[in-house]
Amino acid sequence: MYLADPAAQPGSIWGLLLPFVLMFVVFYFLLIRPQQKKQKQRNLMLHQLKKGDKIVTIGGLHGTIVELTDDTAVIRVSDTMKLTFDRSAISTVSQSAPSAE
């Protein structure tokens, strides 16, 4: 049986907090920061959408943007069918429309 030395000093508060601080730093660089970068890139992509972009929705629907508002996009999926989606439902831009310059 191990008995603690009664004359030993208890650990300082920094010795107890150091593992928690290190865990937070690791979580920040491995989880939080990459997620923030990914969200910033997605917001930039959604902001740069324009008519004529070929896109893919989060449901896997492929189409071309024919009309945009602040929060919705009208997508042409065939010659006769147009669907309205929230802008946030757009997953990726598969082909950007040529710029009108």
Side-chain angles (χ1 to χ4, degrees):
M1 179 148 91
Y2 176 78
L3 295 175
D5 184 11
Q9 294 284 335
S12 70
I13 189 78
W14 295 112
L16 295 173
L17 289 179
L18 185 62
F20 293 109
V21 171
L22 288 175
M23 282 193 311
F24 178 76
V25 169
V26 168
F27 275 121
Y28 178 78
F29 283 107
L30 292 179
L31 298 173
I32 298 170
R33 189 165 179 243
Q35 183 65 29
Q36 287 176 341
K37 285 179 137 181
K38 189 175 179 181
Q39 185 66 34
K40 193 179 286 187
Q41 287 176 339
R42 177 168 166 70
N43 288 339
L44 182 64
M45 182 268 303
L46 290 175
H47 179 71
Q48 292 178 341
L49 290 173
K50 58 189 176 295
K51 289 181 183 181
D53 284 351
K54 294 184 187 285
I55 55 98
V56 179
T57 66
I58 56 175
L61 184 75
H62 292 250
T64 304
I65 296 176
V66 293
E67 185 180 329
L68 278 171
T69 64
D70 288 339
D71 54 352
T72 62
V74 177
I75 300 169
R76 184 179 67 233
V77 293
S78 70
D79 291 336
T80 59
M81 183 178 289
K82 294 179 185 175
L83 300 172
T84 303
F85 283 91
D86 283 343
R87 212 180 247 243
S88 62
I90 296 172
S91 175
T92 59
V93 176
S94 60
Q95 183 179 355
S96 185
S99 61
E101 291 181 19

